[in-house]
Amino acid sequence: MLIARTASVVGSVQISARVVERGMHKVRELGFDIKCVTSGYGTCPIASVAEDAEIERVIE
């Protein structure tokens, strides 16, 4: 298992990579039989990484 801070390039990529996972969850909620799905493909932008000072200001 690998762990990365969400406020890092790796964290941004990992969060963006969940687009297909979230899409599958949504179609299952809508009643679609996900056992029929054989593959998935998704695209989305990767968010820029905030500076530590910006993160601290948001947390406060």
Side-chain angles (χ1 to χ4, degrees):
M1 175 182 268
L2 299 174
I3 299 172
R5 288 177 30 148
T6 54
S8 68
V9 174
V10 173
S12 291
V13 170
Q14 188 255 343
I15 290 168
S16 298
R18 296 185 68 193
V19 68
V20 174
E21 176 188 358
R22 182 65 187 125
M24 292 298 295
H25 178 73
K26 185 64 178 178
V27 295
R28 191 184 81 185
E29 284 182 343
L30 295 173
F32 184 78
D33 182 10
I34 60 172
K35 292 177 184 174
C36 296
V37 178
T38 58
S39 66
Y41 179 87
T43 61
C44 70
I46 296 175
S48 59
V49 179
E51 297 292 327
D52 285 341
E54 293 177 39
I55 296 168
E56 291 171 7
R57 193 171 54 237
V58 170
I59 292 172
E60 294 174 346

